[in-house]
Amino acid sequence: MHEPYRVVVEFTLLGTGRIEGLRITRPSATATQSIPEFICHHSIEEPAPFEPWDDKMKRALGNRRPCRITFSFNIRD
């Protein structure tokens, strides 16, 4: 049996490669974080900071960019 999961992670990516405001967006306000949410959160937080943007990227994108990543997967019981 597979259990489907959908986790949405939002954050702001800065031109320096750092991230700000990393959070899981949920349809309901639950107080605890599930294991899939924890894994998705840390899959972004752990490798940060990322490479700084070059001047061309900064001209095109500015110094900060809002990001949303949606993880969709199944976990086998």
Side-chain angles (χ1 to χ4, degrees):
M1 201 80 182
H2 291 100
E3 189 171 348
Y5 282 92
R6 181 175 178 267
V7 177
V8 180
V9 181
E10 294 182 342
F11 58 96
T12 300
L13 180 59
L14 305 178
T16 61
R18 299 204 177 277
I19 56 174
E20 287 183 343
L22 181 65
R23 68 190 180 285
I24 303 290
T25 59
R26 298 182 183 97
S28 60
T30 58
T32 59
Q33 189 178 49
S34 70
I35 290 173
E37 288 173 336
F38 176 82
I39 292 168
C40 294
H41 183 277
H42 284 280
S43 72
I44 296 168
E45 184 179 58
E46 194 70 26
F50 302 100
E51 289 292 320
W53 298 351
D54 62 24
D55 290 336
K56 185 176 178 180
M57 283 183 69
K58 287 179 183 177
R59 281 192 302 276
L61 301 175
N63 288 319
R64 57 190 322 117
R65 192 74 169 179
C67 299
R68 177 183 296 147
I69 298 176
T70 302
F71 297 86
S72 298
F73 53 94
N74 294 315
I75 296 178
R76 187 185 304 189
D77 290 341

